[in-house]
Amino acid sequence: VMVGARLLDLIPGLSRPVLPLDWIFALGLTVGLRASLRAIAETMSRPSHAKHGAPRRDVLIVGAGDAGAMVAKEMQKNPQLGLRAIGFLDDDPVKDGKQIYGLPVLGQIEALGRVAERRRIDEVVIAIPTAGGPTVRAVAERCRELGIPSRVMPGIYELLDGHLNVSRLRSVDIADLLRRPQVKSHAAGHTYLTGATVLVTGAGGSIGSELSRQVAFARPAMLVLLGHGENSIFEIAGELRKRFPDVQIRAVIADVRDRERMMRTFRDVSPAVVFHAAAHKHVPLMEDNAAEAVTNNVVGTRNVIDAALSVGVARLVMVSTDKAAAPSNMMGASKRVAEAIVRHAAKAHDKPWVVVRFGNVLGSRGSVVPTFKAQIENGGPVTVTHPDVRRYFMTIPESVHLILQAGGIGRGGELFVLEMGDPVRLHDMAADMIRLSGLDKTEIPIVFTGLRPGEKLDEILWEDDATIEQTVSADIRRVTEPHAIEASRLDDLVARLAEAAARDDSERIARLIREHIPTSTVEARSRIGQPGVVVPMSKSPHAG
């Protein structure tokens, strides 16, 4: 200031207020110009129907936390969406009556019906991404009773890419309603992927593609997508190249059963981390195609492991299934042998390679949820194998997050089992889906078709007498089963299984598995239940 005053003294006739006024006018002009340009750009980007004053839908946001506030801000910033937030509901009494972005918190969630009627709500957005299934289910069911459409904000694992906007809100889906409370994120455990060359087998599948997405989010130096199906690999490669332009994406069309192809690919890219997700997984198909279960799940795994050893892969994770515990079908038995291949190789070569075992994944290809949805959309009936059949379930993003975390904590040859919560009875799931689809309980019957060959009423995550230890993660357990395949007999078993598969001798395959896995019952083919019995939900003793 003193310097400026002295300069003014050197210029006769120049008034002292000139400099500060000039600064104020220049600042105002700059800010005004930038704001005008932004306003013009936003106006030009809006669709024509918004410019002509198309009516907006009044939206009530359930959840007044950070997520709800972001949703409200998006609606205010983008009127072209045709959505107008009118307020929030939240069970936190501290927030009651407060204003967020100029919108009031109108009460607790139990006031949904009263507020919706008083404010004439057109739609409800459930913005509680960390909420468990019961909370989302209760709100969605109440909206259905009121005849108000509801949409749910993506969960925490689906927001890992950081791109949240209202256009990503989805209509309430059964996958959201069936969620257990989501496991807590520990993204720091994925740092072993950053800057590394990572290879994913089966990268075009449900688990493999989500693995690839979350690996890409960790910013590896190169991500190699290996799979046998060219269409699925083409799609995931295109998606990741667009979303992660700074990550080198390489697509490799190859079959894990081709040993020489695996060797050349691994030598070519020299991966530091491998996620082995390639496998045949459908139980009924593998019962009819035992040779394919062996060549893909067993021989293919042996090929991947040998290729990984040849280039010194630092970390490797094999994705397994709960059906490998006391296997009663060819798919589960083949995965049990594959588990042994990975674990014995890790111990023999002192490698931090691990196996991760978990149950059914909601929304994966061929899983029960899309099947139920399609049956309901077609007017029913919904088919369930048995009234008492139960399964463990996880969401795809949740299971993949824990797979990545397990890969970071492995020390060598461990079998990790993910926290799956309580098993869900499929009949109850079918009943919930029918109700949440807005249909009367008597409109869509449930048909019990009988257990399929190799299928069990209840799946288990580990066998009897297994030793269970807690890991550094509350959601991952280290399991040691007493009936492991002996390392000294493993090579001979794999060779004999391959020979039997080459002859398509399913009986020989079953005998070999039973000899080496005492808990296996792969020869059992009993069908339980009364196929074709229609049980209306209103009369079913098992309705959920």
Side-chain angles (χ1 to χ4, degrees):
V1 176
M2 294 179 64
V3 173
R6 289 171 182 166
L7 289 173
L8 288 174
D9 292 338
L10 297 176
I11 306 175
L14 183 63
S15 176
R16 289 180 179 274
V18 168
L19 285 181
L21 288 174
D22 179 69
W23 179 83
I24 292 173
F25 288 137
L27 178 63
L29 181 62
T30 303
V31 172
L33 180 61
R34 290 172 63 88
S36 299
L37 290 174
R38 180 172 180 175
I40 293 171
E42 289 183 354
T43 302
M44 293 178 66
S45 66
R46 294 173 188 168
S48 57
H49 67 81
K51 295 178 183 179
H52 288 85
R56 297 188 195 176
R57 296 171 60 81
D58 287 341
V59 177
L60 178 66
I61 302 172
V62 177
D66 292 339
M70 293 172 70
V71 171
K73 185 178 179 180
E74 281 281 323
M75 291 182 186
Q76 293 173 343
K77 190 172 66 174
N78 298 286
Q80 71 271 18
L81 293 168
L83 302 173
R84 177 172 56 195
I86 60 92
F88 302 87
L89 294 181
D90 197 288
D91 282 341
D92 185 352
V94 176
K95 298 176 181 177
D96 194 13
K98 291 191 174 180
Q99 298 269 331
I100 301 174
Y101 289 120
L103 302 173
V105 178
L106 301 169
Q108 298 189 346
I109 297 176
E110 65 181 7
L112 175 60
R114 184 173 64 256
V115 173
E117 181 178 0
R118 187 172 71 247
R119 296 296 185 111
R120 298 183 181 275
I121 299 300
D122 297 309
E123 192 166 337
V124 170
V125 169
I126 305 170
I128 321 174
T130 57
T135 301
V136 179
R137 183 196 304 271
V139 177
E141 182 68 14
R142 182 61 177 142
C143 290
R144 189 190 67 80
E145 293 172 356
L146 296 169
I148 301 174
S150 60
R151 289 194 278 180
V152 64
M153 189 177 130
I156 188 68
Y157 294 97
E158 297 150 297
L159 296 176
L160 284 174
D161 59 12
H163 294 95
L164 170 63
N165 54 64
V166 174
S167 65
R168 291 188 60 180
L169 295 173
R170 302 184 306 251
S171 297
V172 174
D173 187 271
I174 192 64
D176 298 303
L177 304 181
L178 291 175
R179 287 182 189 171
R180 299 169 291 100
Q182 294 281 300
V183 298
K184 295 185 183 300
S185 175
H186 301 285
H190 304 170
T191 55
Y192 69 98
L193 302 170
T194 304
T197 296
V198 182
L199 184 147
V200 180
T201 72
S206 302
I207 295 295
S209 58
E210 182 62 22
L211 261 171
S212 301
R213 292 184 188 98
Q214 294 197 26
V215 168
F217 183 77
R219 296 304 191 271
M222 178 191 294
L223 175 55
V224 182
L225 310 173
L226 188 150
H228 185 54
E230 63 168 337
N231 291 330
S232 57
I233 293 295
F234 176 81
E235 290 174 2
I236 187 63
E239 174 190 333
L240 295 183
R241 284 175 179 139
K242 181 178 180 180
R243 292 178 58 187
F244 304 97
D246 56 332
V247 176
Q248 183 180 355
I249 305 295
R250 180 166 178 178
V252 177
I253 305 301
D255 193 326
V256 294
R257 291 176 289 193
D258 187 338
R259 182 181 179 83
E260 291 305 315
R261 177 73 166 140
M262 288 300 102
M263 289 292 187
R264 287 196 302 271
T265 299
F266 275 65
R267 285 196 298 266
D268 185 24
V269 301
S270 190
V273 183
V274 171
F275 292 97
H276 179 39
H280 285 324
K281 66 174 185 176
H282 295 292
V283 170
L285 287 178
M286 292 305 101
E287 289 300 284
D288 294 334
N289 299 274
E292 288 296 305
V294 169
T295 56
N296 198 64
N297 297 355
V298 176
V299 178
T301 298
R302 167 53 60 83
N303 292 340
V304 169
I305 291 302
D306 287 348
L309 288 171
S310 71
V311 298
V313 168
R315 290 188 177 274
L316 183 144
V317 181
M318 175 195 153
V319 177
S320 190
T321 170
D322 57 355
K323 294 170 181 60
S328 63
N329 51 67
M330 289 293 183
M331 192 280 279
S334 64
K335 294 293 284 185
R336 178 63 172 268
V337 178
E339 288 182 355
I341 292 172
V342 174
R343 299 180 65 195
H344 288 319
K347 294 174 182 177
H349 298 274
D350 194 24
K351 295 284 188 181
W353 298 353
V354 300
V355 171
V356 178
R357 183 190 289 177
F358 54 95
N360 295 272
V361 178
L362 288 171
S364 62
R365 294 175 188 170
S367 67
V368 68
V369 171
T371 300
F372 284 172
K373 288 181 66 176
Q375 291 174 338
I376 292 171
E377 289 171 359
N378 291 329
V382 174
T383 57
V384 179
T385 56
H386 190 278
D388 297 320
V389 67
R390 300 190 305 170
R391 294 292 181 264
Y392 290 97
F393 285 99
M394 297 187 83
T395 63
I396 292 178
E398 180 184 29
S399 61
V400 167
H401 167 74
L402 291 177
I403 290 171
L404 297 181
Q405 190 173 343
I409 66 176
R411 294 295 176 264
E414 295 102 330
L415 168 61
F416 290 129
V417 177
L418 305 186
E419 171 58 50
M420 301 290 298
D422 295 326
V424 178
R425 188 161 53 183
L426 296 190
H427 182 279
D428 293 345
M429 181 186 293
D432 285 342
M433 290 185 68
I434 291 171
R435 284 198 300 269
L436 292 168
S437 297
L439 299 171
D440 185 82
K441 293 182 178 181
T442 60
E443 290 183 80
I444 304 291
I446 295 178
V447 176
F448 297 122
T449 59
L451 289 180
R452 298 170 296 184
E455 193 173 34
K456 295 185 286 188
L457 277 177
D458 291 284
E459 298 288 1
I460 58 175
L461 296 172
W462 50 74
E463 297 178 352
D464 294 339
D465 303 323
T467 301
I468 314 300
E469 301 174 86
Q470 192 60 56
T471 66
V472 293
S473 169
D475 305 299
I476 302 176
R477 296 185 177 95
R478 183 183 294 103
V479 175
T480 303
E481 291 173 326
H483 305 292
I485 299 174
E486 298 178 16
S488 60
R489 304 178 65 191
L490 181 60
D491 289 342
D492 181 63
L493 171 62
V494 173
R496 292 188 180 189
L497 284 173
E499 291 173 1
R503 297 194 302 270
D504 201 15
D505 189 346
S506 59
E507 291 299 325
R508 174 64 173 162
I509 292 172
R511 285 197 302 271
L512 286 168
I513 289 171
R514 193 179 62 209
E515 289 172 8
H516 290 79
I517 307 175
T519 57
S520 174
T521 56
V522 292
E523 290 187 336
R525 293 292 182 268
S526 62
R527 289 181 61 83
I528 303 174
Q530 300 296 323
V533 177
V534 179
V535 182
M537 290 178 58
S538 59
K539 299 180 181 180
S540 171
H542 301 284

